[in-house]
Amino acid sequence: MGKKARDVMHEGVQCIGEHETLRTATQMMADLGVGALPICGDDDRLKGIITDRDIVVMCCAHGMDIDRTTAGELARGLVWVDADASVEEALFAMEEHHIKRLPVIARHRLVGIISEADLAKELPDSKLAEFVHRVYALD
């Protein structure tokens, strides 16, 4: 393909601070129309990613208070790709870790995110079908 992660990523990604509450995260997700947010620390570095599903399964289902639980408490999945990595490398990371969103880093800072929708625009149908099968496959 020859394209780099920076060529297919979605730019302008907004982070939720690691000390912000899950209520703030849900409001940000609703306002931005997204299902996931990168979590950034006080040092402006990526700490993880949180999804709407994480909030439901790991917080609400366990009776945790979304007004007291912070995004940092649920930070997980610190998988990312360098902005200059190939699209193939990004695909491999997403498949290997069974993730649907992959943060993109340049000079130690979050610069974008690659999602399934971004890949759908770039990949031939057969390659996209293979990717989806591998990401959703159970270990």
Side-chain angles (χ1 to χ4, degrees), residues 104-121:
V104 180
I105 305 290
R107 293 184 293 281
H108 307 289
R109 297 285 185 253
L110 180 69
V111 294
I113 196 160
I114 298 174
S115 70
E116 289 174 294
D118 298 320
L119 293 174
K121 296 174 195 171

Side-chain angles (χ1 to χ4, degrees), residues 40-117:
C40 292
D42 295 334
D43 57 1
D44 200 32
R45 302 269 174 114
L46 182 67
K47 302 298 180 189
I49 192 165
I50 188 169
T51 67
D52 47 6
R53 186 176 188 282
D54 293 336
I55 294 170
V56 171
V57 173
M58 295 168 55
C59 181
C60 297
H62 294 301
M64 297 169 72
D65 185 349
I66 67 169
D67 291 308
R68 293 179 189 249
T69 306
T70 66
E73 291 177 63
L74 296 188
R76 63 174 187 80
L78 192 54
V79 176
W80 54 272
V81 68
D82 188 89
D84 290 322
S86 69
V87 170
E88 289 81 5
E89 290 173 88
L91 279 169
F92 179 77
M94 294 171 84
E95 291 172 357
E96 180 179 26
H97 297 282
H98 298 275
I99 55 176
K100 300 168 197 115
R101 300 164 189 98
L102 182 64
V104 180
I105 305 290
R107 293 184 293 281
H108 307 289
R109 297 285 185 253
L110 180 69
V111 294
I113 196 160
I114 298 174
S115 70
E116 289 174 294

